[in-house]
Every structure is written in C-alpha cells, then in structure tokens.
C-alpha cells in the first residue's frame, strides 16, 4: 500500500485545475503527444465549454520518483462548484491529501478558502501549489502571504508551477509522494468501499467509482450497498486509466471501479458503502447524506406534442445524474411537463442545456424557486416548492425560507458596492475578515431565494468580475412572503408566478413587467401585463400592437411563395407558448428572473 | 367555379427599378416565347374545361407587335373553350395606348384594360422609371373611354420616398376623375434583386414606416370608400361588385387557373405547378415537347387550410366559418381579434375590417398552433 497515493486537486474556478491534471496525466505517459487533447478529464462538451468540471473523475497515474520507486497516484478530480459540494466531500473523503491550487495573479478566492476548509475537515494533507507563475502579473509573495494568513498553511512548502508551460510539474509529483501519506487500511477486515461517484455506460450499466478503506473485492463476489440494502454480483473490478483497466482484485487503499449490473445511477447513492454480502462490515463508512435538491423549477416542452419525447429524454438523462429529481406536473398555461429539483442554479442550467443539446429537446423552464415552509392555522406544516401550491394566505400562521451563509471575497475598493448589494438582498449578520491588505472577505446570512435571483451576475457586475462567491446552507428562518402573480390580458400565467419577500414584491413585479415587455413580441392587439398580489395590481406595463404588416402588392397566381413564407413563420411560432391569445417566447420565462444590471 | 387562363408576356421596353416580376427589357426573345406559347396551349387543350376569364399580363403585353397579339388571341380561342361572357383583360402601358392599338384590343375581344398609370405626376413617374408622363396617362384613359371601353382598371403606386399624404390623395382624386371601374393601390415595396432593393441594402433608400404605411393605406380606403368603391381585396377596389376582377379573384378564392408562359403559375383545384422562369429555358423545353414545368406540389389538408385563411383574409369575402375549423383556442383567438376590431362576423363568414386588412399577413397564423 506504500506505493499508493490518493489525492485530489482543489481550486477556485479557472485557477488551472484541469490544465494541471492534463500535465500530470502527460507526465505519467498515459497519452502520447498525438492523442493529447486539452482537459482530458472534462469529457462532456458542456464541461469543456464552461470550463467547469461537473462530474467527479478518477484516474490512476503510474509514477517513478527520483529515487526510482514506483507509485500508483490516484487523482480524483472533483466538481468545481458549490452546487456539487456533497460530491466534492465524498471525493475528498476518498483521499489522503490535496493539491490546493492558487492562481499566482488572482490569489486566494472564495472557493479556495471553502475548499481548503473542506480538506481540513477531512484531515487531509494540503500541498499549496501556486500556479500560473509565468504570468507577468503573478505576485508570488502576496499569494504566499494570503496562503499563510487566510488559510493558516505553511507557505514555505508551496510549490511553484506553470501548468500551462509545464514548469514545476516534477516538483508537484515529488511532493505528492513525499508529503501525502500512503493509505492505510486493513486488507483482512470486511470490505468497506466508499462510492464517490457513478457513471452510466449504455453497455455495462452503472460504473461505480469507489475508494476501498478495508478488505478487498474480486470479480464474482456478491456485493451489498449498505444504505440501499441491495445486493449485486460484481462482474468486473479494475482501475481507471484513460480507459477502464480490469483487475482481478481491488484492495484496501485503492481507488477503482466496480461494474455489477446496476441499471441506473439512481440505484446507487454517492457516499454509500459497498461491502461483501458473505462477509459484511459492521457499519457503513461515516458521512453518508441523502442529497436533497434545493432549487425547483418546472420544465415543459415548447410544443405540447413533445411531452412524451421530453419524458423519454428525462429518463435517459437521469440514468447518469442521480441528483436530478422530477415528477409529472401540469400547468394551465404550459400543459403537461415536469417539476424538477436541482442541487443549485448551475445544476439547473446544466440539466437544461444538456437536455436541449444532447437530447434535442426544446424546453420552457419556469422561474426557479426554493423550498418554503408554511405553518398553517390548522397546525399543519407544509413544504412548498412550487408557487402554484402557495397556501391560502389567510391560513398562514408562519412562513419560513432557507438561509445560506454567503462568503464573498473582493478587492477592498468594491466593499461599498457589495455591501449595498447584500443588504438589498436581505443580507444580515455581516462579518468581515481582512486576509491581506487590500482584500476583504465579507460573510452574510442571506435567503437562498435571493441567490437564485440573479445574484452571481449582479455580484460580477458590481465587482467588475473580481468578486468570488461561495455559500453553505444554514437553516430555515421566519419570513414575510407573498405570492406574486403575473397576468397577461387579465389571464393569470401560473408558470410566471413567484413566491417573493413582501417588501421586494413591487420591485420584482415591476422588473417582471418590464422584462416581459421586452421579451414578448408585439401582437395584433394590445397586451396588458400586470403583476398582482391577490387581486391588487402592483405593477403594470403594456405592449402596444403592431398595426400593419400586410404587403399591399400584387403577386399574381404565385400563391406558393406566400404560403411557404407563412409555413416558415408557423414553425417559428411553434417555439412560442400560447397563453390565451398571447404567444410567449421561451426566453421570457427565464428573463423575468434577470435584473437589469447596475454598475458598469 | 369556372377556370381562368393567364398568359405571361415577359417583355418590357425597359426594366423599372422597383419591379421584381420576371420580364426582359427586349423584344428579341419574342419568337422563342411565341413558339413556346403555341405549343404550351396545345399541351393543355381540353384539360381545363370552359374558361370564363382570360388575362394577358406581364411584362407589358401591349408592347407586343399587333400581329403577334392577334395571333396569340386567335390561338387561345382556337384551342380553348371560353364562356360567352368571359372577362378578357389586358395589362397596358399608357404610352402604348394609341387609338389604333385600342381599336385592335377591341377587335380582339378584349373587354377590360388595366392600365399601369402608377401616378399622374411627371416627377414621380420619372423616379419610378416609367416612360409615360402624367398627361399621357390621362390621355390614355380618356382615349379608352372614348373608344368604348366600359371596364377600365388603373394601377396606382404610393409610398414613394418623400411623398406626402396630400400628394397621394391628389393622385387618387385625379384617378377618380375618370371614374375607373377598378383601382389597384400598391405600396412601393423594395424587393431584393431590383435597383431599389439594392439601394435599400446600401441604406440609400427606405420603405415606408409602419405608421406611414398605415396612413397611406387608410387614406386610399377612405377616399375610395367615399367615392363609393368596394374595397374587395387588400390592394383592390371596384366601382361596383360587378367590376371586381373576375380573373384575379380566382387566385384569392382558390378557383382553378391555367398559367401559360415563363414563370406562370397554375392551379387545377388540387395541384399547383409553375413554369421555368427564363424564356430560353421555357422555349427549349417546349421545343423538345416537354412541359415547361419547374415544379409541382399537391397540398396537404393543413396547407389547404393555411392557404384558404391567408387568401381569404386578404379579401372582403373573408373565410367561411366552416372552413376555419375552429377549436377552443382559436375560438378564443377569434373573439380577441373581434374585440381588437380586426375581424368581424358576417353571414357565417369571418371577414377582415379595414384595420384587419392592414395585418392580413398575420391573421392566418393566429388560427394555427
Ligand atoms: N498563463 C497561464 N495560464 C494558465 C495556467 N494554467 C492554466 N491556465 C489557463 O487558465 C485558464 C483556466 O484553466 P483551467 O485548467 O480550465 O482551470 P480550472 O477551472 O481550474 O479547471 C485556462 O485558460 C488555462 O489555459 C498557467 O500555468 N499559466
Ligand atoms: S413594372 Fe411592368 S413595365 Fe415595369 S418592368 Fe415591371 S413588368 Fe415591365
Ligand atoms: Mg476545469
């Protein structure tokens, strides 16, 4: 076991995690120059495009150190976003150490801090790595200071590298074998393997990624998922190279995969423990949590006839994303669709984008919302994650909404603007840290609903891109909520309703009216847009009609040309949703949640 | 409904800078065309039944030499069957309408002349690249009347750059002095592949704004309405119902028509087809004995409904309620459009108002999902 090292790279987004992983893979000689492509571990288009790792990946890298000893380095790449913090925690639980990557020009950011703390919670060895030293704007001394003060790590140990140019990679590898301890774990004890990820393979079913903490598993063994209480036969076990490499046996300390005829990834739960049926472990490994969605929205096919096709696409998509939950839903305005739960806004966007791109769906997604709790006068407490089910206001005794602890790191000069933004977003309990001169960390308790409402973009705008943001869920707190309805020509559009904080209702309503006015094309008749609470209209706007489009000319007997033009328009119209007589473009449903950016 | 015949005569003295129709500014290919037409007429002999309208359009039919024009009509009457009360229209250019020409038209049995007046203002006419003057326009109309034509149509264009509403009303008033049986008012549209179209692409010319387009359109509707004309199609007015153009109405109410000549379109009630555009191609195909057809199509039910609505909403006939195939959503739409003053119900038909005419391009799609 001495020859094994299990590690992960953690970093704020764009600090170079994927690039460094590429270099390590190259250094291990797993790919030749010809086959090399950037960001090897980010296999999905969407990951490459957005530069965000969405799913965990593992790869075993052979390495021979300076003294000639052979090692097996297991790199577990973690998703780089708070939406996936539970997956990150399970990946970290599978490691003995991490490379904490910091951009030499940007310095320590919000996710650097959050990730470093997470690594500390898991008692991991942390190797600070300062990347991008090739940049002219690199300020190594300042970054070292931040690492010392903000993270309390010994910056003398920091390794300098440029993942882009390949300098310092050898030092990184040496540090991995010298600083990070080898795994320990009794091979003779019953099997305990931690599932840190699962992928769906159309030919083999679910491929479970796991870290063995004790015992061993062979192909042919009957295994048991301890939390799920399900048993399977292990068909194949092995290591992750660039492709899967079958092995006779995986044993304590190792990271690898198990294929056992599990159909969908939803049949396994990240964080569950695998043991042997015949020789079961006493207890599962600690830290298992049911992942629960925190953001909810409905999706509908643009054309109602595509409902079946959407249902199929969701089923298929779900095979590879256990975090998405969905159930049938129907809306008066949008017809049949699905109510979905997501881990966060990024997860929501990813699901939407992949359904559209990889599964060819045309979707309308309604305003995302959080899960509210209401205590009713009959003593019942209900959970509402869909404005449609907002209870009768006269029966509400107490309303509660989820709060988060937000952490924002910014250059000091943006402090005023960010404070304003946070206070406007109902931030309370402000705390300030001054990690290094010129930088500031602001912490706020804030309703999750405010984060959903265009917070990232607003923060980016007011900080000109220099602000970084991270959050964790705190608790539910009492709140004063109302349901905001949107009416088009007097007809309530259920899919546009929102649950909002009472004092924000008017600005929200005004914004929605404005946005809809921009998004809905002019019709042949006037469209009145209203925002209302109950029967009280609190905001309105109107779209004036177009009053001429006819071509008053002669086209003789050529009816075909005219008809073809109309057929083309008819197709375009299929991408609109009809609410009464009003055609609403897809974009309008998302636009109501965007604010007009202030700042420069 | 009886079918009609259209003959496309694609020759003009010169090409007008706004015109997107297929025509060549020369008489040289006339023989090729004429040989073709004669063969094409034979191809369709007996296939369409009795025609009750004949329309010589272009191009500029009156630009043809007298001998060819007579020969053409002889051929048509020799091979096709026409009703006694047939409407026989020719499109004419004012400068071609000499007394002799008009007499010839009468002799040929033409009973309706549609004159491309466009304007009575020399400046406007020069801008439009027309070869006649305002005076010639007036004289041609007087001459037609004097020599006995009882069914005269005039084409007028509005929306020239810089044109005022008063100027347009002046044009209408001048036309009304002649009490034409039919008036067509066309908006100057800047079409691709025309001189004006290219100027628009370069940003040197602009079409009418929505507001101005409305104002000109409504001014015509008002003025001609006051003068007692029936606004029976978006661009067309008749002095009485009887003078609605029988031939053109076939296009709008989906009656059959046979189109002869390059780029002409035909419809037999089920199938639509259209000819190749170029005179040479047209001539060559017919010489070989092949029909000069570019393409054909048979419409689906859905396409037929779309056409019926698109065409119907351009006319004062509107669309029969039964044809609308209303389901709950479109019934709701109909009531919205009625409230908005765009459609009304009349004798079991859904009929556009003047405001409805103005949005006739969007009305049909309101009734499709
Ligand atoms: N100049 C420079 N750029 C780098 C270096 N490492 C990564 N980058 C660039 O930084 C950006 C983000 O890198 P990536 O590896 O995708 O970051 P990740 O989001 O942490 O995975 C990319 O444009 C990389 O090319 C480096 O050492 N020097
Ligand atoms: S407008 Fe008439 S005369 Fe002018 S080019 Fe076109 S068809 Fe010929
Ligand atoms: Mg990355």
């Amino acid at each position: 076991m001495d020859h094994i090292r299990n590690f992960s790279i953690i970093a704020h987004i764009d600090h170079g995690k994927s690039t460094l992983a590429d270099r390590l893979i190259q250094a291990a000689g797993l790919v030749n120059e010809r086959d090399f492509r950037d960001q090897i571990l980010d296999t999905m288009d969407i990951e490459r495009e957005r530069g965000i790792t969405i799913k965990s990946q593992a790869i075993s890298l052979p390495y021979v150190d300076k003294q000639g000893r052979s090692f097996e380095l297991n790199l577990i790449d973690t998703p780089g976003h708070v939406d996936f913090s539970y997956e990150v925690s399970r990946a970290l639980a599978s490691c003995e150490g991490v490379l904490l990557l910091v951009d030499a020009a940007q310095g320590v950011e919000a996710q650097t801090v959050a990730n470093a703390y997470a690594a500390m919670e898991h008692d991991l060895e942390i190797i600070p790595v300062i990347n991008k030293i090739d940049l002219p704007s690199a300020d190594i001394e300042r970054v070292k200071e931040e690492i010392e003060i903000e993270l309390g790590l010994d910056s003398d140990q920091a390794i300098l590298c440029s993942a882009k140019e390949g300098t310092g990679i050898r030092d990184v590898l040496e540090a991995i074998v010298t600083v990070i301890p080898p795994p320990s774990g009794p091979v003779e004890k019953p099997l305990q393997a931690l599932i840190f990820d699962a992928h769906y393979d159309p030919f083999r079913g679910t491929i479970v990624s796991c870290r063995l903490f004790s015992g061993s598993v062979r192909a042919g063994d009957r295994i048991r998922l301890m939390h799920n209480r399900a048993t399977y036969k292990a068909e194949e076990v092995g290591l992750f190279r660039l492709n899967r490499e079958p092995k006779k046996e995986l044993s304590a300390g190792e990271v690898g995969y198990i294929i056992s005829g599990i159909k969908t990834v939803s049949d396994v739960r990240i964080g569950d423990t695998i043991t042997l049926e015949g020789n079961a472990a006493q207890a599962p490994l600690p830290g298992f949590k049911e992942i629960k969605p925190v953001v909810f929205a409905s999706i509908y096919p643009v054309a109602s006839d595509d409902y079946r096709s959407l249902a199929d696409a969701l089923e298929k998509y779900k095979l590879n994303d256990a975090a998405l939950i969905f159930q049938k839903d129907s809306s008066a305005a949008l017809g049949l669709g699905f109510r979905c739960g997501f881990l966060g806004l990024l997860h929501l966007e990813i699901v939407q984008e992949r359904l559209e791109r990889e599964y060819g769906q045309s979707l309308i997604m309604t305003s995302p919302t959080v899960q509210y709790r209401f205590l009713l006068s009959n003593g019942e407490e209900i959970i509402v994650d869909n404005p449609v089910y907002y209870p009768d206001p006269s029966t509400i005794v107490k309303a509660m909404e989820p709060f988060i602890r937000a952490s924002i790191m910014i250059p000091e000069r943006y402090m005023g603007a960010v404070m304003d933004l946070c206070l406007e977003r109902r931030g309370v309990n402000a705390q300030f840290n001054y990690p290094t001169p010129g930088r500031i960390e602001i912490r706020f308790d804030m309703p999750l609903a405010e984060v959903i409402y265009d917070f990232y973009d607003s923060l980016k705008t007011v900080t000109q891109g220099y602000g970084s943001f991270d959050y964790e869920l705190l608790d539910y707190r009492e709140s004063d909520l109302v349901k905001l309805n949107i009416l088009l020509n007097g007809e309530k559009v259920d899919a546009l309703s929102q649950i909002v904080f009472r004092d924000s209702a008017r600005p929200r309503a005004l914004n929605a009216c404005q946005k809809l006015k921009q998004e809905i094309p002019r019709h042949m008749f006037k469209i009145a847009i209203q925002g209302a609470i109950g029967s009280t209209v609190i905001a309105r706007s109107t779209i004036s009609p177009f009053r001429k489009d006819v071509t008053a000319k002669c086209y003789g007997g050529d009816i075909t040309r005219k008809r073809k033009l109309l057929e083309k328009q008819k197709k375009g119209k299929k991408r609109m949703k009809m609410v009464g007589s009003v055609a609403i473009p897809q974009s309008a449903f998302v636009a109501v949640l965007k604010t007009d950016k202030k700042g420069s | 409904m009886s079918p009609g015949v259209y003959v496309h005569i694609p020759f003009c003295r010169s090409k007008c800078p706004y015109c997107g129709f297929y025509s060549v500014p020369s008489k040289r290919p006339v023989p090729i065309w004429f040989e073709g037409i004669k063969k094409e007429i034979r191809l369709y002999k007996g296939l369409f039944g009795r025609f009750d309208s004949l329309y010589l359009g272009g191009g500029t039919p009156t630009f043809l030499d007298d001998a060819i024009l007579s020969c053409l009509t002889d051929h048509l009457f020799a091979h096709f069957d026409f009703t006694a009360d047939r409407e026989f229209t020719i499109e004419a250019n004012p400068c071609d309408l000499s007394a002799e020409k008009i007499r010839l038209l009468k002799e040929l049995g033409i009973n309706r002349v549609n004159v491309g007046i466009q304007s009575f203002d020399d400046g406007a006419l020069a801008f439009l690249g027309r070869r006649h003057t305002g005076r010639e326009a007036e004289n041609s109309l007087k001459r037609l009347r004097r020599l006995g034509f009882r069914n005269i149509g005039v084409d007028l264009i509005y929306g020239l750059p810089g044109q005022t509403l008063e100027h347009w009303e002046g044009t209408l008033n001048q036309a009304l002095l002649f009490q034409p049986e039919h008036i067509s008012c066309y908006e100057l549209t800047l079409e691709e592949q025309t001189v004006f179209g290219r100027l628009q692409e370069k940003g040197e010319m602009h079409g009418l704004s929505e507001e101005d387009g409305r104002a000109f359109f409504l001014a015509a509707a008002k003025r001609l309405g006051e003068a007692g004309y029936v606004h029976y199609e978006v661009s067309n007015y008749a002095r009485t119902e009887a003078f609605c153009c029988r031939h053109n109405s076939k296009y709008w109410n989906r009656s059959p028509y046979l189109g002869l000549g390059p780029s002409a379109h035909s419809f037999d009630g089920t199938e639509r087809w259209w000819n190749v555009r170029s005179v040479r191609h047209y001539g060559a195909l017919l010489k070989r004995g092949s029909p000069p057809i570019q393409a054909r199509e048979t419409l689906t039910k859905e396409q037929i409904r779309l056409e019926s609505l698109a065409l119907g909403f351009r006319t004062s006939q509107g669309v029969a309620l039964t044809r609308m195939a209303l389901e709950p959503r479109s019934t709701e739409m109909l009531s919205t459009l009625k409230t908005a003053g765009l459609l009304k119900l009349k004798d079991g038909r859904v009929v556009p108002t003047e405001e409805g005419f103005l949005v006739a391009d969007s009305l049909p799609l309101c009734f499709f999902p």
Side-chain angles (χ1 to χ4, degrees):
Chain A
M1 236 186 291
D2 282 352
H3 67 288
I4 296 176
R5 297 291 182 276
N6 298 316
F7 74 105
S8 177
I9 309 174
I10 55 182
H12 190 76
I13 182 165
D14 278 347
H15 283 200
K17 188 158 74 94
S18 300
T19 313
L20 179 61
D22 286 352
R23 288 292 159 271
L24 298 178
I25 292 167
Q26 260 180 324
L30 283 189
V31 273
N32 55 35
E33 291 300 326
R34 201 162 45 85
D35 295 339
F36 190 79
R37 54 184 169 79
D38 283 347
Q39 319 238 314
I40 295 175
L41 294 182
D42 290 346
T43 46
M44 282 185 267
D45 281 350
I46 182 167
E47 290 184 315
R48 286 156 176 275
E49 262 166 43
R50 291 185 173 230
I52 307 168
T53 305
I54 298 168
K55 284 199 76 89
S56 301
Q57 293 264 4
I59 187 162
S60 299
L61 307 169
Y63 175 67
V64 179
D65 78 350
K66 282 183 179 157
Q67 298 161 41
R69 294 177 300 171
S70 290
F71 288 92
E72 197 72 66
L73 309 183
N74 295 317
L75 164 58
I76 300 170
D77 190 22
T78 56
H81 196 276
V82 281
D83 281 5
F84 306 104
S85 52
Y86 178 66
E87 277 92 334
V88 175
S89 84
R90 292 307 83 201
L92 291 180
S94 305
C95 298
E96 277 74 39
V98 295
L99 302 177
L100 179 72
L101 199 61
V102 187
D103 186 314
Q106 301 295 324
V108 170
E109 300 272 7
Q111 282 162 31
T112 320
V113 180
N115 283 319
Y117 288 162
M120 290 171 193
E121 307 253 325
H122 286 95
D123 284 325
L124 303 185
E125 199 61 51
I126 300 177
I127 306 172
V129 178
I130 301 178
N131 185 33
K132 306 198 191 182
I133 54 167
D134 59 295
L135 288 177
S137 53
D139 186 347
I140 296 167
E141 282 319 301
R142 193 204 68 185
V143 175
K144 281 192 168 178
E145 203 180 311
E146 288 175 359
I147 290 175
E148 291 265 346
I149 299 175
E150 249 166 88
L151 308 176
L153 297 172
D154 181 359
S155 67
D156 289 341
Q157 290 219 346
I159 295 165
L160 307 183
C161 81
S162 164
K164 191 174 167 194
E165 303 196 331
T167 49
I169 300 303
R170 188 79 195 183
D171 299 340
V172 173
L173 287 162
E174 281 299 311
I176 293 170
V177 297
T178 51
V179 178
I180 298 178
S184 60
V187 185
E188 62 290 349
K189 287 255 182 84
L191 174 68
Q192 279 182 312
L194 175 67
I195 301 176
F196 62 84
D197 200 16
H199 292 254
Y200 175 75
D201 177 299
F203 302 107
R204 308 296 311 265
T206 301
I207 318 280
V208 174
S209 309
C210 58
R211 154 74 198 266
L212 277 67
F213 281 88
S214 64
S216 60
V217 59
R218 292 170 161 263
D221 286 346
R222 279 207 75 83
I223 57 169
R224 185 156 95 206
L225 308 187
M226 298 184 76
H227 285 282
N228 265 14
R229 298 166 203 280
T231 63
Y232 300 92
K233 186 171 142 226
E235 293 165 3
E236 181 183 314
V237 304
L239 297 182
F240 292 106
R241 296 290 185 195
L242 271 191
N243 300 309
R244 293 189 298 270
E245 190 179 287
K247 255 186 109 190
K248 260 206 209 107
E249 181 183 68
L250 287 176
S251 51
E254 286 188 304
V255 169
Y257 69 88
I258 301 176
I259 297 175
S260 53
I262 302 175
K263 277 221 182 63
T264 80
V265 296
S266 308
D267 296 328
V268 296
R269 285 188 283 179
I270 309 285
D272 200 349
T273 302
I274 300 176
T275 192
L276 292 181
E277 195 181 19
N279 179 17
Q282 292 268 300
L285 294 158
F288 175 79
K289 248 184 11 192
E290 291 279 1
I291 30 175
K292 288 215 185 80
V294 292
V295 174
F296 300 81
S298 298
I299 56 180
Y300 299 92
V302 172
S304 323
D305 331 348
D306 292 341
Y307 171 76
R308 272 283 13 126
S309 154
L310 175 59
D312 288 347
L314 272 171
E315 292 290 346
K316 289 209 186 85
Y317 178 87
K318 172 85 179 158
L319 292 175
N320 209 11
D321 184 351
L324 172 74
I325 60 160
F326 61 90
Q327 66 184 56
K328 261 194 201 162
D329 188 21
S330 77
S331 142
L334 301 176
L336 283 180
F338 295 92
R339 188 73 186 167
C340 302
F342 308 92
L343 297 178
L345 270 198
L346 179 77
H347 185 214
L348 171 149
E349 281 177 31
I350 289 166
V351 172
Q352 180 178 21
E353 209 172 312
R354 293 189 61 199
L355 284 172
E356 296 206 319
R357 284 181 9 177
E358 295 167 34
Y359 297 86
Q361 301 296 307
S362 257
L363 303 178
I364 283 174
M365 183 167 275
T366 62
S367 318
T369 161
V370 301
Q371 226 166 28
Y372 295 96
R373 291 187 189 162
F374 295 94
L375 184 64
L376 305 181
S377 44
N378 63 5
E380 203 187 335
E381 186 177 303
I382 58 165
I383 295 178
V384 173
D385 61 30
N386 186 343
V388 171
Y389 302 117
Y390 191 82
D392 174 356
S394 65
T395 65
I396 300 174
V397 175
K398 185 174 155 189
M400 285 159 288
E401 63 176 324
F403 266 64
I404 57 151
R405 183 86 173 139
S407 151
I408 298 162
M409 293 196 81
I410 43 166
E412 221 168 40
R413 60 182 182 281
Y414 298 114
M415 169 147 171
V418 172
M419 286 291 294
D420 287 349
L421 176 66
C422 291
L423 291 173
E424 181 196 307
R425 297 310 181 88
R426 299 191 276 144
V428 290
N429 253 335
Q431 271 175 19
F432 306 92
N433 295 313
Y434 300 88
T436 45
R439 283 173 66 77
I440 182 166
E441 183 194 17
I442 308 179
R443 295 177 145 249
F444 264 109
D445 295 357
M446 208 188 271
L448 178 60
E450 295 288 343
V451 177
I452 284 176
Y453 191 70
D454 206 27
F455 184 75
Y456 289 98
D457 284 348
S458 303
L459 179 69
K460 257 195 225 138
T461 308
V462 301
T463 62
Q464 296 172 313
Y466 287 103
S468 61
F469 170 70
D470 195 50
Y471 74 81
E472 57 185 339
L473 281 170
L474 283 180
D475 49 15
Y476 272 79
R477 298 187 187 175
E478 183 160 2
S479 186
D480 188 6
L481 302 171
V482 290
K483 179 177 174 188
L484 170 63
N485 286 316
I486 302 292
L487 295 84
L488 293 180
N489 279 350
E491 194 167 330
K492 201 191 289 176
V493 187
D494 53 4
L496 287 172
S497 323
Q498 306 171 38
I499 298 174
V500 299
F501 183 61
R502 186 181 300 276
D503 291 351
S504 314
R506 223 181 100 76
R508 286 293 180 86
L510 280 171
N511 184 60
C513 290
Q514 252 354 82
K515 278 290 175 322
L516 288 171
K517 181 174 175 164
Q518 288 162 20
E519 294 292 327
I520 299 175
R522 291 197 299 156
H523 281 50
M524 269 171 285
F525 38 85
K526 193 168 103 177
I527 301 170
I529 307 170
Q530 293 170 315
I533 298 173
S535 56
T536 316
V537 174
I538 55 168
R540 67 182 84 231
S541 66
T542 5
I543 302 175
S544 56
F546 69 80
R547 296 167 67 205
K548 173 185 179 285
D549 72 345
V550 75
T551 37
K553 62 166 190 174
C554 161
Y555 42 80
D558 184 1
I559 306 304
T560 304
R561 185 166 147 205
K562 181 82 197 161
R563 197 197 65 240
K564 285 193 170 150
L565 202 75
L566 284 169
E567 281 170 348
K568 217 169 110 189
Q569 292 171 4
K570 194 167 131 221
K571 270 213 185 109
K573 200 180 148 192
K574 277 220 183 317
R575 296 192 58 86
M576 306 268 233
K577 264 294 171 190
M578 295 300 298
V579 170
S581 304
V582 181
I584 311 178
Q586 236 176 326
S587 56
F589 292 90
V590 186
V592 291
L593 282 198
K594 299 269 182 207
T595 52
D596 276 319
K597 308 284 152 49
K598 292 172 274 193
S600 45
Chain B
M1 273 295 236
S2 300
V5 187
Y6 173 83
V7 183
H8 194 59
I9 302 164
F11 310 103
C12 299
R13 261 185 202 83
S14 57
K15 190 78 199 168
C16 303
Y18 59 88
C19 174
F21 286 108
Y22 176 66
S23 69
V24 283
S26 152
K27 254 186 213 169
R28 245 189 313 143
V30 169
I32 302 178
W33 166 81
F34 194 46
E35 285 314 303
I37 285 283
K38 287 190 285 191
K39 289 212 168 69
E40 200 185 8
I41 287 173
R42 261 176 240 127
L43 279 182
Y44 291 103
K45 189 179 167 122
L47 289 185
F48 258 80
R50 263 180 130 187
F51 296 104
D52 70 352
S53 71
L54 171 57
Y55 197 104
L56 306 183
T60 314
T62 47
F63 179 42
L64 285 182
D65 294 343
D66 292 356
I68 302 253
L69 204 53
S70 327
C71 199
L72 172 70
T73 35
D74 287 351
H75 241 85
L76 287 162
F77 288 120
H79 292 95
F80 292 144
D81 199 9
F82 287 94
T83 59
D85 73 331
R86 74 195 176 260
E87 173 191 88
F88 184 1
T89 308
I90 188 165
E91 285 179 345
N93 229 346
C95 51
D96 290 329
L97 291 175
S98 61
E100 298 86 85
K101 191 69 145 206
I102 295 174
R103 281 194 201 98
L104 172 73
L105 303 184
K106 284 219 83 157
E107 271 167 39
L108 296 178
I110 291 169
N111 52 23
R112 184 172 182 273
V113 182
N114 198 71
V115 194
I117 298 289
Q118 318 308 357
S119 174
F120 295 96
D121 177 336
D122 291 348
L125 288 166
F127 174 80
L128 291 171
R130 304 298 299 193
R131 299 214 152 199
H132 61 273
T133 60
R135 169 62 62 85
E136 280 172 320
E138 291 175 20
N139 286 341
S140 67
L141 294 178
K142 282 186 204 154
R143 222 175 280 133
L144 280 168
R145 272 290 182 245
R146 190 156 40 80
L147 295 173
F149 272 96
R150 299 267 168 275
N151 192 350
I152 301 174
V154 304
D155 285 353
L156 302 176
I157 289 189
Y158 64 85
L160 283 68
Q163 188 181 27
T164 61
L165 215 49
E166 291 70 44
H167 186 274
W168 169 230
E169 282 160 353
T171 307
L172 290 165
N173 286 333
Q174 254 169 305
L176 285 173
L177 291 177
F178 301 93
Q179 288 289 295
E181 280 65 38
H182 193 274
I183 301 179
S184 301
C185 300
Y186 297 124
E187 178 179 331
L188 177 65
T189 50
L190 311 178
E191 317 251 335
E192 277 175 45
Q193 293 177 13
T194 65
V195 174
F196 284 175
R198 281 186 285 276
L199 284 174
Q200 182 183 37
E201 275 161 40
K202 280 193 260 171
E204 288 166 20
M205 205 169 152
H206 304 284
L208 281 184
S209 68
E210 180 180 317
E211 269 322 298
D212 290 345
R214 282 172 56 77
F216 281 79
F217 180 95
L218 291 173
K222 178 156 181 282
R223 185 66 194 89
L224 298 179
E226 285 165 0
Y229 282 75
V230 191
H231 193 179
Y232 74 100
E233 196 264 354
V234 168
S235 320
N236 290 288
Y237 298 83
R239 214 175 68 196
T240 67
E241 291 284 353
F243 289 115
C244 295
C245 177
R246 188 192 285 173
H247 183 83
N248 284 342
S249 297
K250 296 191 194 302
Y251 301 145
W252 304 318
N253 57 32
R254 303 188 76 255
S255 300
Y257 49 91
L258 171 63
L260 303 171
S263 82
H265 285 249
S266 303
F267 178 53
D268 66 4
T270 354
E271 202 180 15
R272 293 193 181 280
W273 67 92
W274 50 97
N275 286 348
V276 296
R277 253 173 95 89
S278 111
V279 177
R280 270 174 212 298
H281 193 184
Y282 171 80
L285 285 171
L286 282 159
K287 197 163 176 185
R288 242 182 31 201
S290 331
I293 293 172
Q294 168 92 53
R296 353 170 132 256
E297 60 178 7
T298 306
L299 307 180
T300 63
K301 269 213 177 99
E302 172 97 342
Q303 287 177 318
I304 293 172
R305 190 167 90 91
L306 179 60
E307 275 193 7
S308 307
L309 267 62
L311 295 166
F313 288 142
R314 287 185 73 93
T315 71
S316 57
Q317 293 287 301
V319 180
L321 259 176
T322 48
R323 246 258 119 282
M324 300 273 300
L326 292 176
E327 21 90 29
R329 181 151 264 165
S330 40
T331 307
E332 185 183 343
M333 181 56 93
L334 180 59
S335 91
T336 306
L337 295 174
K338 272 188 346 206
T339 313
L342 302 172
L343 292 176
K344 56 185 189 226
L345 279 179
K346 206 176 116 190
D347 308 330
R349 303 185 71 87
V350 183
V351 174
T353 61
E354 286 294 335
E355 289 285 348
F357 273 149
L358 274 164
V359 290
D361 281 1
S362 293
L363 286 173
L365 287 185
C366 290
F367 300 97
F368 285 84

